[in-house]
Amino acid sequence: MKVLSKGSVYALRALTYVVAHKGDIGFVNIGELSRSLDISFHFLTKIFQQLTQAGILESYRGPNGGIKLARPPQEIKVIEIVDVLEGPEFFNTCLLGLPGCGEFDPCPVHDFWKDAKAALREEFEETTLAELGKKVSDERLRIKP
Amino acid sequence: MKVLSKGSVYALRALTYVVAHKGDIGFVNIGELSRSLDISFHFLTKIFQQLTQAGILESYRGPNGGIKLARPPQEIKVIEIVDVLEGPEFFNTCLLGLPGCGEFDPCPVHDFWKDAKAALREEFEETTLAELGKKVSDERLRIKP
DNA sequence: CTGGTTTGAGACTTTCGAGTCTCAAAAAAC
DNA sequence: GTTTTTTGAGACTCGAAAGTCTCAAACCAG
C-alpha cells in the first residue's frame, strides 16, 4: 500500500534528519544529506527545489551553501510538505477511482473512506517536524533503510 | 492518494456491478461487463483470470460463457479480492517506505500508521460484495465514471 | 466434423513516476 | 578576474504498472 510518493517520503526523511542531527543553525549541504540518507543527490535536490519555491525551505548556493528550514521546526507541519509534493488533489481521491465521487454522488465506500482520509489529514496537520526530529533523537528511531 | 491498484479497483467495480445488476444466476459475459463499465476488455479478462485461479470466481468458455461468483455474494469479503490482486504485503507497508519498520524498529509515524492500516483492513474484512451491490441498487450510487 | 464464440495465457506496447545527467547561475576563495 | 563549490532548471533514461494484441483452448450449434 503505497500512499505517499517517493518525493514526500524522501523530504520527510531528510528534514527529520536535519532537525534531529543538525539543530536549527545554518545551511545543510545537500550532498551530505544525500550520502547520509542514501537518497539520490539529484533527486533530493529536485525535491528541495520544490520546497524552497513553496517557502518551506531557504537555500544558498556556493561553498558552505545548502538548505535550511525557513521557519522553526515546531512551526512546520507535515501537511505542508505533503501538500507541496503531492498536490492539492491528494486528500480528494475516491478509493474506487471514480471521478466525481463526493457527498452528492458517492461511491459504495465513500463514507468510510472520507473518515479515513480525514484521520490521515488530521495526523499530518498535528505533527510537526520538531516532533518527528525529537522522536528520532530521543528514542533513537530509525530514519534510513 | 492512490491506495488500490487499477486491478483491485476494476475488480471491485465489476463484481459490485454483477451483484447489483445480474443477480446471482448464470455466467456473465466479460465483454458485456467491459462495455457497461468502460474497462478494457483484455485487462478485465486478465484480472478475472487471477480471481478465477484464486477460487473466488468460476468461468466458463464458449457461447453463453463468462464468469460468476464461486460463492454467494454475502460470503465474499472485499479483503479476499484485495489480497489476491495486491499481494500479501499490502497491509505490511511503512508510511515512510522504510524496510524493516515494525514494532521493534518503528519509524516516527509507525504507531499512527499501524492503526490506520488496521482500520482499513477491518473495513475490507467486514464488507461483502452483497453489501456493495445492495448499496448500489438500493441507493442508486454510481459505479462507473 | 466444421465454424463461431468465449475465456486462458503470454508476449508486446504504452504511460508515468522515479531516477540520472548536463549545463547554467550564484556565491566564496584565491 | 578566475576557479571552485554548490544549488537551479530542464532534458533525458529507466522500470514497473497499466493496457493491448495474438493465438490457443474450451465449448456450443449446425
Side-chain angles (χ1 to χ4, degrees):
Chain A
M1 172 160 42
K2 192 178 71 79
V3 171
L4 295 173
S5 70
K6 291 285 186 184
S8 297
V9 164
Y10 291 165
L12 290 173
R13 295 229 293 257
L15 297 183
T16 299
Y17 180 89
V18 167
V19 172
H21 294 98
K22 294 294 177 178
D24 196 9
I25 39 167
F27 290 94
V28 181
N29 185 280
I30 300 179
E32 185 201 329
L33 282 176
S34 154
R35 268 175 270 114
S36 300
L37 294 167
D38 205 34
I39 298 172
S40 151
F41 167 74
H42 289 291
F43 194 30
L44 192 55
T45 298
K46 261 200 325 195
I47 294 163
F48 283 154
Q49 282 169 19
Q50 295 183 68
L51 294 173
T52 301
Q53 286 164 0
I56 294 171
L57 298 180
E58 288 175 10
S59 69
Y60 200 81
R61 286 192 261 202
N64 299 313
I67 56 97
K68 71 173 182 182
L69 302 181
R71 284 169 285 143
Q74 54 271 22
E75 293 180 14
I76 301 182
K77 303 171 193 297
V78 170
I79 187 74
E80 298 179 60
I81 292 154
V82 172
D83 274 344
V84 169
L85 294 168
E86 302 291 340
E89 289 302 303
F90 185 68
F91 288 102
N92 198 25
T93 58
C94 170
L95 189 54
L96 298 187
L98 297 170
C101 173
E103 286 305 306
F104 298 111
D105 206 0
C107 77
V109 294
H110 176 75
D111 287 340
F112 162 77
W113 189 234
K114 182 186 58 182
D115 293 343
K117 284 185 296 186
L120 185 62
R121 172 175 264 280
E122 194 175 349
E123 177 76 8
F124 287 170
E125 296 265 13
E126 285 171 354
T127 307
T128 67
L129 288 184
E131 292 169 56
L132 291 185
K134 188 167 192 312
K135 274 198 185 183
V136 170
S137 39
D138 280 8
E139 307 174 31
R140 305 204 173 126
L141 297 179
R142 282 162 4 97
I143 202 176
K144 35 186 167 177
Chain B
M1 174 161 38
K2 191 178 73 82
V3 171
L4 296 172
S5 70
K6 291 285 186 185
S8 297
V9 164
Y10 290 167
L12 290 173
R13 294 230 292 256
L15 296 183
T16 299
Y17 180 89
V18 168
V19 172
H21 293 99
K22 295 292 177 178
D24 197 9
I25 40 168
F27 291 94
V28 182
N29 184 279
I30 300 181
E32 184 200 330
L33 282 175
S34 154
R35 269 175 270 113
S36 299
L37 294 166
D38 204 33
I39 298 172
S40 150
F41 167 74
H42 289 290
F43 193 30
L44 191 55
T45 298
K46 258 197 332 193
I47 294 164
F48 284 154
Q49 281 169 18
Q50 294 183 69
L51 295 173
T52 301
Q53 285 165 1
I56 295 171
L57 297 181
E58 288 174 10
S59 69
Y60 202 78
R61 287 191 261 201
N64 299 315
I67 56 97
K68 72 171 182 183
L69 302 180
R71 284 169 284 143
Q74 54 271 24
E75 293 180 14
I76 301 182
K77 302 173 194 298
V78 169
I79 189 74
E80 299 180 58
I81 292 154
V82 171
D83 275 344
V84 169
L85 295 168
E86 304 290 341
E89 289 302 303
F90 185 69
F91 287 102
N92 199 23
T93 58
C94 169
L95 190 53
L96 298 187
L98 297 171
C101 172
E103 287 304 307
F104 298 110
D105 205 2
C107 76
V109 295
H110 175 76
D111 286 340
F112 162 76
W113 188 233
K114 182 186 58 180
D115 293 343
K117 283 186 296 187
L120 185 62
R121 172 175 263 281
E122 192 175 350
E123 176 76 8
F124 286 171
E125 295 265 14
E126 285 172 354
T127 307
T128 67
L129 288 184
E131 292 169 57
L132 290 184
K134 187 166 193 313
K135 274 198 184 181
V136 171
S137 38
D138 281 8
E139 306 174 29
R140 307 212 169 119
L141 298 179
R142 283 164 2 100
I143 202 176
K144 34 188 167 176

